[in-house]
Amino acid sequence: MTRRGQLVLVAATVVAVALVPILLASLQLGYHDDVRAAADYDDDPSVDALRVLERAVATESASIPNQYAWAANGSATSAVHTGLRPQLDRLRTSRIVDNVHYNVTYNHTAARQWKDANCPSGPDRQFGDCVADRGIVVQNRVGRTHVLAVGFDVTTTTERGETTVTVVLETSGRSSR
């Protein structure tokens, strides 16, 4: 073999050896239609549940002042519970195909703590008393019952584990976690 032929053979061997790691890397990054994109997979599915709850709380609380006087604030709280029940039931199974299960319960303690921190007392307050009842905070405003916030515990179970989030959703659109 000539010297030139040997040089070509050595160069080809070096190139082949250099391509081996690239080939191995491409095999490890292969495509499979059941694999989620990394950005989708790392998203916390609890965020989806909180968005659904925010909309449901806003919708259910909007008509309460028109329907319930302050003397009937317990009935207003029951009406919110009744109105939210179908949404909570749908949410529990909404992503079962994706191996995501939601369990949503009312958090009475979080609602009471929110009331204590956000409902002023004394002569300088603008509205009447606040009451935390069964996870829902209502307030007397000019003799009508207004829903201010709802406390929830949202437990999200996926194939990667379980996450529990305690949230107080305010009807004004803000939330505290």
Side-chain angles (χ1 to χ4, degrees), residues 23-85:
L23 177 65
L24 290 175
S26 69
L27 290 174
Q28 290 176 350
L29 296 174
Y31 172 77
H32 188 278
D33 60 351
D34 284 343
V35 177
R36 294 184 191 179
D40 292 340
Y41 194 74
D42 290 336
D43 285 347
D44 181 6
S46 299
V47 173
D48 295 334
L50 296 179
R51 280 190 215 121
V52 169
L53 290 173
E54 284 174 352
R55 285 190 302 271
V57 166
T59 300
E60 289 305 318
S61 63
S63 64
I64 295 298
N66 299 329
Q67 297 177 10
Y68 294 93
W70 178 246
N73 65 59
S75 296
T77 299
S78 295
V80 172
H81 274 268
T82 301
L84 288 175
R85 187 173 302 123

Side-chain angles (χ1 to χ4, degrees), residues 108-128:
H108 309 278
T109 303
R112 188 173 50 256
Q113 289 172 344
W114 186 93
K115 176 195 78 81
D116 292 344
N118 292 282
C119 290
S121 59
D124 293 333
R125 68 176 181 232
Q126 294 178 336
F127 299 109

Side-chain angles (χ1 to χ4, degrees), residues 143-167:
R144 308 303 299 171
T145 302
H146 286 256
V147 178
L148 300 183
V150 182
F152 292 107
D153 285 327
V154 180
T155 302
T156 306
T157 306
T158 67
E159 70 274 2
R160 295 181 76 182
E162 185 175 283
T163 304
T164 300
V165 176
T166 298
V167 63

